[in-house]
Amino acid sequence: MPLADNFGRSIHDLRISITDRCNYKCVYCRTGNIGAAYAELPFEDYLRMARILVELGITKVRLTGGEPLLRKGIIEFVRDLAKLRTATGKKPEIALTTNGHLLAEIAQPLKDAGLDRVTVSMDAVDAERFARITRVPNGYESVLAGVRSSRRAGLDPVKINCVLLRGFNEDQIVNFGKFAREERVVVRFIEFMPLEEDRVWTPEIVVRLDEILSRMAEFMPVQEIAHERSETARRYRFADGVGEIGIIAPVSHPFCGHCSRIRITSDGKLRTCLFSVWDHDLHELMRRGASDEKLSEFVVKVVEKKEERHHIGEPGFVPASR
């Protein structure tokens, strides 16, 4: 039986945070202001969790952080993940989300180890603005080199994630459209979500899907194209057929009804939603010597209780527990 929740959603996407550390200090990010807050585990522990979940029906594994490329041994970890087999006997799809700063030299080795795709987080395509956001000098050139190295390695489609905040970087929308066309990458704009630790989020700071499309149309019209039901991004192609953008709009256009994701935190907690108020301590069971069968039973029960939806912007919204 495929892994599923009580709302009938098939759960086949796994995110594993392999570190809470980051080498950037982005102004809107908790890690950028106070540093790492959570521990990280040996790779063999993440691998065991991933193996159990793949056996239960996971077909896609994405490595995240913090900044995952800070972990020594990540190439070998990707190689080990690539040896896992889904219920149909296939290798799981393996992806990586990174700030791209260390990517240029490691993109080809990661591809050779079994990495399929890479997503680079980038909130400006202007070197000076990029430095102000990340608080890291000369970072833009390193990230651009990483993007280009990933394309040469065949980690296609290379995706760029841009979080938009009003009064902060919404003037970068058109420049990102041009970047998508010139660099032959997919740029995905993300509505700002209430995840930051100092709770500065308000509905007014969110640059919403309709506004993004309107601003992009000032440069060139875009046409919506088909996407999978469980995809988070609504996809658009420029009218002349050159270049693609996506918009991830959890605030204005929630996609909870088709969510296929679960997450493992860097310290081994299972989370059923980015905005969950609960953690489920998978690693503690492992530490106590639980068998694979017991761990599988635990995962199935946790996934069954996955939240129906988030409640961003609603009265009484309770922020995520971490």
Side-chain angles (χ1 to χ4, degrees):
M1 283 289 291
L3 200 58
D5 65 17
N6 284 331
F7 299 99
R9 293 172 296 197
S10 170
I11 308 302
H12 50 262
D13 293 338
L14 172 66
R15 265 68 178 157
I16 305 177
S17 169
I18 60 173
T19 184
D20 198 42
R21 294 178 289 130
C22 190
N23 49 349
Y24 276 14
K25 300 176 181 178
C26 296
V27 295
Y28 60 80
C29 179
R30 181 264 303 160
T31 304
N33 288 286
I34 66 171
Y38 302 101
E40 57 195 37
L41 305 178
F43 277 127
E44 53 262 33
D45 289 352
Y46 297 128
L47 184 63
R48 185 182 178 199
M49 295 176 186
R51 175 177 56 78
I52 288 168
L53 282 153
V54 167
E55 290 171 355
L56 287 171
I58 292 295
T59 58
K60 298 179 182 179
V61 178
R62 177 174 291 276
L63 305 181
T64 69
E67 173 45 49
L69 297 187
L70 291 176
R71 285 294 303 261
K72 293 180 180 178
I74 189 172
I75 295 172
E76 291 75 14
F77 182 49
V78 168
R79 188 173 293 119
D80 288 338
L81 287 173
K83 295 174 183 175
L84 301 178
R85 289 297 175 264
T86 67
T88 58
K90 297 180 179 178
K91 177 185 84 69
E93 181 180 321
I94 306 172
L96 173 80
T97 297
T98 171
N99 62 30
H101 193 85
L102 302 173
L103 187 56
E105 293 184 2
I106 202 173
Q108 188 64 57
L110 284 169
K111 173 67 174 179
D112 294 343
L115 189 70
D116 296 296
R117 292 188 294 109
V118 68
T119 298
V120 178
S121 298
M122 252 179 111
D123 294 329
V125 285
D126 168 83
E128 183 179 340
R129 178 76 61 88
F130 189 87
R132 284 207 306 270
I133 292 172
T134 61
R135 294 185 286 203
V136 172
N138 304 318
Y140 181 75
E141 291 77 11
S142 297
V143 175
L144 184 59
V147 169
R148 292 172 174 171
S149 179
S150 297
R151 286 204 61 251
R152 287 194 298 271
L155 291 167
D156 291 319
V158 175
K159 296 179 180 178
I160 307 297
N161 279 356
C162 171
V163 177
L164 291 173
L165 288 79
R166 189 170 309 285
F168 188 68
N169 65 341
E170 79 270 30
D171 62 342
Q172 295 281 295
I173 290 173
V174 168
N175 288 339
F176 267 111
K178 295 175 181 177
F179 186 84
R181 292 161 61 86
E182 293 166 1
E183 296 293 334
R184 289 175 287 169
V185 296
V186 178
V187 169
R188 304 193 304 179
F189 299 104
I190 303 175
E191 291 180 344
F192 184 49
M193 294 176 282
L195 285 167
E196 80 295 342
E197 295 295 309
D198 52 3
R199 311 303 182 199
V200 302
W201 187 91
T202 65
E204 292 73 29
I205 204 171
V206 179
V207 184
R208 297 171 186 257
L209 180 146
D210 292 341
E211 180 179 346
I212 297 169
L213 292 176
S214 176
R215 286 181 175 240
M216 192 62 76
E218 296 172 6
F219 165 56
M220 183 179 294
V222 294
Q223 302 163 342
E224 189 164 7
I225 56 179
H227 65 279
E228 297 292 331
R229 278 164 56 94
S230 61
E231 275 189 83
T232 57
R234 296 172 72 156
R235 299 171 59 194
Y236 302 86
R237 184 174 291 123
F238 286 99
D240 64 355
V242 179
E244 179 183 326
I245 66 167
I247 304 176
I248 300 173
V251 179
S252 65
H253 294 75
F255 40 80
C256 303
H258 307 303
C259 182
S260 61
R261 298 179 173 186
I262 54 174
R263 301 169 183 271
I264 292 173
T265 64
S266 64
D267 54 349
K269 309 292 197 305
L270 192 63
R271 293 182 65 84
T272 51
C273 175
L274 196 59
F275 293 94
S276 183
V277 295
W278 297 288
D279 285 330
H280 308 273
D281 202 338
L282 186 59
H283 187 253
E284 176 62 17
L285 286 180
M286 289 175 54
R287 197 182 63 80
R288 287 196 236 150
S291 65
D292 285 359
E293 183 181 9
K294 289 295 183 184
L295 295 176
S296 296
E297 291 174 359
F298 177 79
V299 168
V300 169
K301 289 178 181 178
V302 168
V303 169
E304 285 177 350
K305 300 174 187 175
K306 180 175 167 66
E307 297 84 344
E308 183 178 14
R309 62 189 179 91
H310 67 66
H311 298 274
I312 297 174
E314 297 179 14
F317 169 71
V318 178
S321 58
R322 60 186 289 176

